[in-house]
Amino acid sequence: MSASPILQLESIEVVYEQVILAVHGVSLEVGAGQVVALLGANGAGKSSTLKAISSLVRAERGAVTAGRIRYQGADITHAAPDALVRGGLVQVLEGRHCFAHLSVEENLLTGGFVGKPGRQALKAGLEQIYHYFPRLKARRKSLAGYSSGGEQQMVAIGRALMARPRLVLLDEPSMGLAPLIVDEIFEIVAQLNRVEGVSFLLAEQNARVALRHAHHAYVLESGRVVADGSAAELDARGDIHDLYLGGIAA
Ligand code: ATP
């Protein structure tokens, strides 16, 4: 990988409840300024890998029991989740998780209090998000609970961006959404990467759309990396599509 890594995983192992081995010796890298996809079927270990990085795995009685995770060169294997967010590493969880009874704008603001910003900084943060997600500006006073699935996914990503991240861990952004909305969300992710320089590690079952927007990809099966390469290389390998990616051709 050409860009210097912002994130490195060295042979990590994730165990739940002290017995369930979900991730087994996974090594991967995200180059600074890159979009990297983590592909694989249901239960392959994608979410567990992301939660190991953000330390959220501990909230589910899980632990990183072997290996090392480095972010910007520092060992963060056992870092506290809030310290990681302050350091610019933010996860968008699978399933969107908006506050249904808050407005779209209030949801965005909940992501903005990292580092105690002033009123002007919060306003600038909101303006930046509305620039990338004009739909959210139009709906900013509406309750998030009444928004469509696609808009809720945009709120979840926008809330993460309010923390001014350098690396976003994005879990299944396409889940349950119509293809046109999925394309719109991935286009915005690609723009945030190109224009703002935000790096992304995104877990996806939808290999077709992920490979179209990622620079590099890893394929997980039963908690192990079974293939990796540039997105173009993996996309061109019919065997990878057939064996691991549900036979979805590009
Ligand atoms: P999905 O797309 O369904 O989220 P995934 O690739 O993200 O799949 P994980 O959710 O990481 O996969 O699951 C990997 C393995 O770990 C599975 O066998 C799953 O049952 C197990 N697992 C995940 N979360 C927990 C948990 N909180 N407690 C126990 N086992 C878990």
Side-chain angles (χ1 to χ4, degrees), residues 173-174 177-187 206 208-209:
S174 78
L177 301 180
L180 274 179
I181 296 289
V182 172
D183 284 340
E184 189 178 331
I185 287 172
F186 270 82
E187 280 301 333
N206 186 338
R208 180 191 60 82
V209 72

Side-chain angles (χ1 to χ4, degrees), residues 196-220:
E196 307 290 337
V198 180
S199 305
F200 286 87
L201 176 60
L202 53 96
E204 257 305 336
Q205 286 191 47
N206 186 338
R208 180 191 60 82
V209 72
L211 287 174
R212 204 178 326 131
H213 291 92
H215 299 103
H216 200 90
Y218 294 82
V219 182
L220 283 187

Side-chain angles (χ1 to χ4, degrees), residues 46-205:
K46 305 180 298 298
S47 298
S48 300
T49 303
L50 296 191
K51 286 183 198 157
I53 299 164
S54 60
S55 285
L56 294 178
V57 77
R58 291 188 223 165
E60 298 184 25
R61 297 168 58 89
V64 178
T65 49
R68 195 156 36 184
I69 304 172
R70 291 180 190 279
Y71 170 62
Q72 301 187 123
D75 188 338
I76 57 152
T77 317
H78 302 292
D82 55 328
L84 294 175
V85 173
R86 283 196 301 277
L89 194 169
V90 179
Q91 177 160 5
V92 180
L93 290 166
E94 182 178 322
R96 312 194 263 271
H97 297 282
C98 291
F99 298 106
H101 299 294
L102 295 184
S103 71
V104 162
E105 186 154 297
E106 287 163 344
N107 267 275
L108 294 175
L109 285 169
T110 61
F113 295 104
V114 178
K116 303 193 176 62
R119 196 185 267 251
Q120 281 308 317
L122 285 175
K123 198 164 167 249
L126 284 175
E127 283 312 315
Q128 187 202 28
I129 285 150
Y130 292 146
H131 167 73
Y132 285 100
F133 298 98
R135 277 169 184 260
L136 297 187
K137 184 166 191 174
R139 296 194 50 87
R140 66 188 201 275
K141 303 270 185 244
S142 314
L143 288 186
Y146 293 144
S147 299
S148 68
E151 286 159 356
Q152 289 187 17
Q153 183 65 72
M154 291 177 191
V155 169
I157 297 172
R159 189 173 53 202
L161 293 174
M162 286 294 285
R164 304 206 162 269
R166 294 195 191 96
L167 173 64
V168 175
L169 310 174
L170 191 50
D171 200 349
E172 297 269 0
S174 78
M175 195 172 69
L177 301 180
L180 274 179
I181 296 289
V182 172
D183 284 340
E184 189 178 331
I185 287 172
F186 270 82
E187 280 301 333
I188 295 169
V189 165
Q191 263 186 50
L192 286 162
N193 170 252
R194 267 197 316 271
V195 181
E196 307 290 337
V198 180
S199 305
F200 286 87
L201 176 60
L202 53 96
E204 257 305 336
Q205 286 191 47

Side-chain angles (χ1 to χ4, degrees), residues 21-27 39 44-45 218-227:
L21 182 59
V23 174
H24 193 73
V26 164
S27 298
L39 307 174
Y218 294 82
V219 182
L220 283 187
E221 189 195 37
S222 306
R224 295 172 192 271
V225 174
V226 291

